[in-house]
Amino acid sequence: MPNLVRSPAVQNPGMLAEVALGLSAPQKELSPKYFYDQRGSELFEAITRLPEYYPTRTERALLSGWMPELMAQLGTRTLIELGAGNAEKSRIILDAMRGTGLAELYVPIDVSATFLSQTAATLRHEYPGLVVEPAIADISVELNLPRRIPRPALFAFLGSTIGNFYPPAAIRLLARVRAAMEPGDRFLLGVDLRKDIARVEAAYNDSQGLTAAFNKNMLRVLNHELGADFDPDAFAHRAFYDTVAHRIEMHLVSTRDQVVSVPGLEPIAFAAGESIRTEISTKYDRESVAALFDAAGLRIEAWPRDPATPFGLVLGARA
Ligand code: SAH
Ligand code: AVI
């Protein structure tokens, strides 16, 4: 592993190895999963309410319009949700399942452990009779599903979080979902769609600076988890649209020459203007979603589309 030096007291060796690899690449890179400690999850929640951040409210409207009919049609008994966060939109699906009298099990999966347990506790209170079995997992590695799952199940991956994974990782993730699906199960994917670039860039450069705070929070997570000494004020938020790869890239740009220490690693040098890429957020169209599904052994079963809607909800089945 590049850059790793021996340290007697590394608390999180997996994270340290991953960070070492990312920060030794020519384009320094960190996984967006490191945004989401308690503060990061709360900042994301605040982002979803920003006037510029259209995805959440658009997806919520699409779910409200479709889920009552879809849940009645599918007879879904279990909702398994990847990257559930605060499960705000999941309630629309759970309400529709409850409306059919079939809601039995909800499995919210997330890497953010404390946020997940809060979400689970709130939902148990709101939905008496529904079994809530949260699963802490890095979905890029595993789903960590419970053994007994009443079928048919709906696997949901909302918010266009799929867009935060590079294509090979996105395909592996969907293939993992496909492998866990039984005949009769379905997959519901939220995808942000390609649109006017200015609108997309505004969503990631909001005027209140919440996205900048969310981006910089990753440095605080590294300081807390690994004992690093990043100075968040010595990095600037930058988000721009790549018209070739059809994605937003978020970076943290070093505002000066500096050296950062991460216990267990060689000192990390940053030149002024050098950046860490912290997130990609891919925007899709019909063809790019079909290609992902195809590669993962899934087929698009339904995609009720309104050309005025800048977001898509795609229903998939096993191919
Ligand atoms: N589904 C919610 C939250 C989206 S925010 C919505 O649509 O609003 C992305 C969520 O995915 C966060 O809760 C974050 O903790 C989780 N997440 C990000 N990367 C993850 C990973 N690799 N494994 C598991 N969860 C992850
Ligand atoms: C969670 N994910 C889908 C968000 C997105 O839009 O890619 C994360 C985010 N990054 C900046 N703002 C919101």
Side-chain angles (χ1 to χ4, degrees), residues 36 60 63 184 191 218 296:
Y36 299 97
R60 188 188 302 125
L63 286 166
V191 285
M218 190 182 288

Side-chain angles (χ1 to χ4, degrees), residues 31-37 40-41 44-45 48 53 55-56 59 63 81-90 109-113 115-116 135-142 156-161 164-165 173 214 279 311:
S31 165
K33 72 184 172 203
Y34 297 129
F35 285 134
Y36 299 97
D37 65 346
S41 298
F44 176 73
E45 202 173 298
T48 64
Y53 195 76
T56 308
E59 189 179 45
L63 286 166
E81 186 179 8
L82 285 67
N86 67 2
E88 190 226 278
K89 285 168 286 162
S90 331
I109 309 172
D110 209 289
V111 77
S112 184
F115 212 67
L116 185 64
I136 299 165
D138 177 347
I139 55 173
S140 64
V141 178
E142 54 165 1
F157 194 18
L158 302 178
S160 204
T161 303
N164 300 141
F165 293 81
L173 179 44
F214 174 70
E279 185 179 72
F311 199 92

Side-chain angles (χ1 to χ4, degrees), residues 8-309:
V10 170
Q11 294 199 349
N12 199 336
M15 179 176 179
L16 184 68
E18 205 174 43
V19 165
L21 196 64
L23 293 183
S24 60
Q27 167 60 69
K28 291 181 169 64
E29 177 125 26
L30 291 169
S31 165
K33 72 184 172 203
Y34 297 129
F35 285 134
Y36 299 97
D37 65 346
Q38 179 77 21
R39 181 170 182 270
S41 298
E42 285 168 7
L43 280 166
F44 176 73
E45 202 173 298
I47 287 172
T48 64
R49 293 193 282 266
L50 285 168
E52 296 98 330
Y53 195 76
Y54 56 84
T56 308
R57 70 178 64 89
T58 314
E59 189 179 45
R60 188 188 302 125
L62 291 171
L63 286 166
S64 300
W66 193 19
M67 288 308 108
E69 178 199 337
L70 185 67
M71 291 304 98
Q73 189 188 319
L74 296 176
T76 302
R77 296 166 68 201
T78 297
L79 173 62
I80 297 165
E81 186 179 8
L82 285 67
N86 67 2
E88 190 226 278
K89 285 168 286 162
S90 331
R91 287 167 171 82
I92 301 167
I93 307 176
L94 291 171
D95 287 344
M97 286 166 65
R98 193 162 57 176
T100 65
L102 293 174
E104 286 185 41
L105 175 65
Y106 175 47
V107 183
I109 309 172
D110 209 289
V111 77
S112 184
T114 46
F115 212 67
L116 185 64
S117 59
Q118 283 166 23
T119 297
T122 315
L123 282 167
R124 282 191 191 108
H125 184 71
E126 284 176 31
Y127 293 85
L130 177 74
V131 178
V132 181
E133 271 192 62
I136 299 165
D138 177 347
I139 55 173
S140 64
V141 178
E142 54 165 1
L143 297 182
N144 195 15
L145 295 176
R147 218 168 271 154
R148 202 191 78 80
I149 297 173
R151 311 275 173 164
L154 180 72
F155 291 76
F157 194 18
L158 302 178
S160 204
T161 303
I162 188 70
N164 300 141
F165 293 81
Y166 285 97
I171 290 167
R172 283 197 300 274
L173 179 44
L174 297 197
R176 196 168 294 122
V177 171
R178 162 66 183 80
M181 286 169 75
E182 290 190 355
D185 291 348
R186 292 292 185 278
F187 176 49
L188 184 68
L189 182 68
V191 285
D192 196 6
L193 300 176
R194 295 175 193 168
K195 62 182 71 62
D196 174 46
I197 291 168
R199 186 166 181 204
V200 181
E201 286 191 331
Y204 294 83
N205 291 286
D206 67 276
S207 54
Q208 294 175 39
L210 285 179
T211 312
F214 174 70
N215 198 1
K216 289 186 189 193
N217 189 58
M218 190 182 288
L219 302 179
R220 298 166 61 128
V221 169
L222 263 60
N223 288 350
H224 184 258
E225 293 296 316
L226 300 176
D229 67 353
F230 282 98
D231 173 5
D233 292 333
F235 288 84
H237 167 72
R238 181 165 179 249
F240 61 90
Y241 195 76
D242 175 336
T243 52
V244 176
H246 303 284
R247 67 188 187 207
I248 280 283
E249 289 202 4
M250 290 217 311
H251 290 244
L252 287 166
V253 185
S254 178
T255 55
R256 52 175 160 82
D257 291 346
Q258 57 180 313
V259 176
V260 174
S261 133
V262 182
L265 305 189
E266 304 278 4
I268 298 155
F270 287 87
E274 187 180 357
S275 77
I276 310 171
R277 182 163 51 207
T278 50
E279 185 179 72
I280 60 162
S281 192
T282 311
K283 308 305 168 190
Y284 298 91
D285 60 7
R286 173 91 190 192
E287 289 66 36
S288 50
V289 173
L292 274 185
F293 272 45
D294 213 38
L298 291 162
R299 66 183 164 83
I300 297 177
E301 188 174 65
W303 186 345
R305 274 179 307 161
D306 163 1
T309 303

